[in-house]
């Protein structure tokens, strides 16, 4: 709307207006597509969060569990069913503890999930997941996931994992879910998903 | 754990999320996940192995071809490798003390 039109119609900028027009212009390169707190359940699912609108996605998750366990990540197919097969994971893991520092490389071939492989200590500082998802909805490509993870484990060890995973099937994966191996995702957890052009 | 067989679903239709019962397939997968969970003993042993591997790594240099490893170091490293032997309860794992470190 032109500034002279706003002035001519004495638009009150403190008022509320029902907008019925069309927004034009270049879309943002990074847009939030989903946001939620933890549901207090054994699964936190994001149905339909991946669409062809965005090529890649970033997920920022801060997760607390009510039970000491690993929190798996699984993709969902276009019917919102969890995909629990055929993931290949490769990663580097390190920890710091009162008895020193250590690290090693690890991974799993044809696993049932994207698995950082270390526990989140129940009711303790939240684990943080930074997850990049590449090409999830391109049915001609395999979905690749890069994960950076940090959490306090059992035995007061501070653990950091950087890993890459692939779902080894060309498919349209329209959602993702976080699944603790046992217990529930606490309501203090937060999830934000951004689409990246 | 009353909510373990429920899922919290966020979707374009329900952006704030809704509580939904898991499907039979999801409950079956959940059971598989639980069954695959390491026991408390396994977790304690894995943690001990992490620490043991850390101590072994600190003395790996003594095994270089241009270094003569002392008998004390050989004994120490063997004790580390044997650390988990006979540890068949969580209490035994927690009570285990690593051998005193050797300089070479």
């Amino acid at each position: 709307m032109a500034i002279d039109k706003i002035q001519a119609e004495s638009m009150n900028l403190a008022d509320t207006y029902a907008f019925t027009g069309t927004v034009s212009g270049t879309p943002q390169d990074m847009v939030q597509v989903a946001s939620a707190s933890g549901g207090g359940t054994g699964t936190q699912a994001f149905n339909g969060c991946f669409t062809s609108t965005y090529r890649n996605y970033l997920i920022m998750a801060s997760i607390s569990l009510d039970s000491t366990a690993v929190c798996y990540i699984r993709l969902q197919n276009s019917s919102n069913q969890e995909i629990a097969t055929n993931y290949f994971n490769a990663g580097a893991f390190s920890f710091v503890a009162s008895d020193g520092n250590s690290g090693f490389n690890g991974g799993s071939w044809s696993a049932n999930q994207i698995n950082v492989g270390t526990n989140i200590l129940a009711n303790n500082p939240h684990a943080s997941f930074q997850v990049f998802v590449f090409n999830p909805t391109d049915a001609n490509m395999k979905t690749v996931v890069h994960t950076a993870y940090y959490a306090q484990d059992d035995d007061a060890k501070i653990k950091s994992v950087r890993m890459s995973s692939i779902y080894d099937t060309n498919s349209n994966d329209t959602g993702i879910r976080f699944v603790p191996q046992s217990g529930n995702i606490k309501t203090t957890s937060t999830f934000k998903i951004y689409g990246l052009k | 754990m009353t909510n373990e067989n429920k899922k919290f679903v966020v979707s374009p239709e329900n952006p704030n999320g809704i509580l939904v019962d898991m499907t039979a397939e999801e409950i079956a997968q959940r059971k598989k996940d639980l069954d695959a969970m390491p026991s408390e003993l396994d977790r304690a042993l894995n943690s001990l192995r992490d620490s043991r591997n850390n101590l072994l790594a600190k003395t790996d240099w003594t095994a270089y071809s241009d270094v003569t490893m002392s008998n004390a170091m050989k004994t120490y490293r063997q004790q580390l490798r044997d650390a988990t032997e006979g540890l068949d309860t969580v209490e035994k794992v927690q009570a285990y003390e690593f051998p005193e470190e050797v300089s070479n």
Side-chain angles (χ1 to χ4, degrees), chain A residues 119-188:
Chain A
N119 286 335
I120 299 170
L121 184 60
N123 305 308
N124 257 271
H126 290 201
S128 57
F129 288 81
Q130 180 190 44
V131 184
F132 284 96
V133 183
F134 292 81
N135 309 309
T137 61
D138 189 333
N140 298 309
M141 298 179 76
K142 295 170 182 175
T143 300
V144 172
V145 178
H146 294 306
T147 305
Y149 165 90
Y150 162 88
Q152 182 175 336
D153 196 354
D154 328 38
D155 301 326
K157 285 176 177 162
I158 305 301
K159 294 193 169 178
S160 171
V161 179
R162 294 191 74 88
M163 62 181 293
S164 300
S165 313
I166 189 168
Y167 171 49
D168 195 34
T169 303
N170 292 344
S171 61
N172 177 20
D173 310 319
T174 60
I176 197 164
R177 63 178 58 188
F178 290 80
V179 185
Q181 197 177 16
S182 76
N184 300 311
I185 293 174
K186 295 175 70 175
T187 55
T188 53

Side-chain angles (χ1 to χ4, degrees), chain B residues 70-85:
Chain B
S70 68
N71 285 333
M73 180 60 74
K74 285 179 187 170
T75 301
Y76 171 68
R77 285 172 61 85
Q78 189 58 51
Q79 286 173 328
L80 288 177
R81 284 192 285 270
D82 295 340
T84 57
E85 278 186 13

Side-chain angles (χ1 to χ4, degrees), chain A residues 44-121:
Chain A
Q44 180 99 9
F46 292 88
N47 293 356
C49 62
F50 303 145
T51 66
S52 58
T53 303
Y54 299 97
R55 186 88 195 152
N56 306 312
Y57 291 84
L58 166 64
I59 303 169
M60 304 291 283
S62 175
I63 298 177
S64 181
L65 305 179
D66 64 8
S67 171
T68 296
V70 174
C71 188
Y72 296 149
I73 300 172
R74 291 188 175 121
L75 296 167
Q76 296 182 171
N77 63 21
S78 55
S79 302
N80 300 320
Q81 293 169 327
E82 73 178 321
I83 298 168
T85 183
N86 222 18
Y87 294 96
F88 300 156
N89 299 308
F93 161 102
S94 63
F95 74 79
V96 59
S98 58
D99 57 3
N101 311 321
S102 190
F104 57 84
N105 299 320
S108 52
W109 189 262
S110 198
N112 301 120
Q113 56 273 320
I114 295 164
N115 180 9
V116 295
T118 77
N119 286 335
I120 299 170
L121 184 60

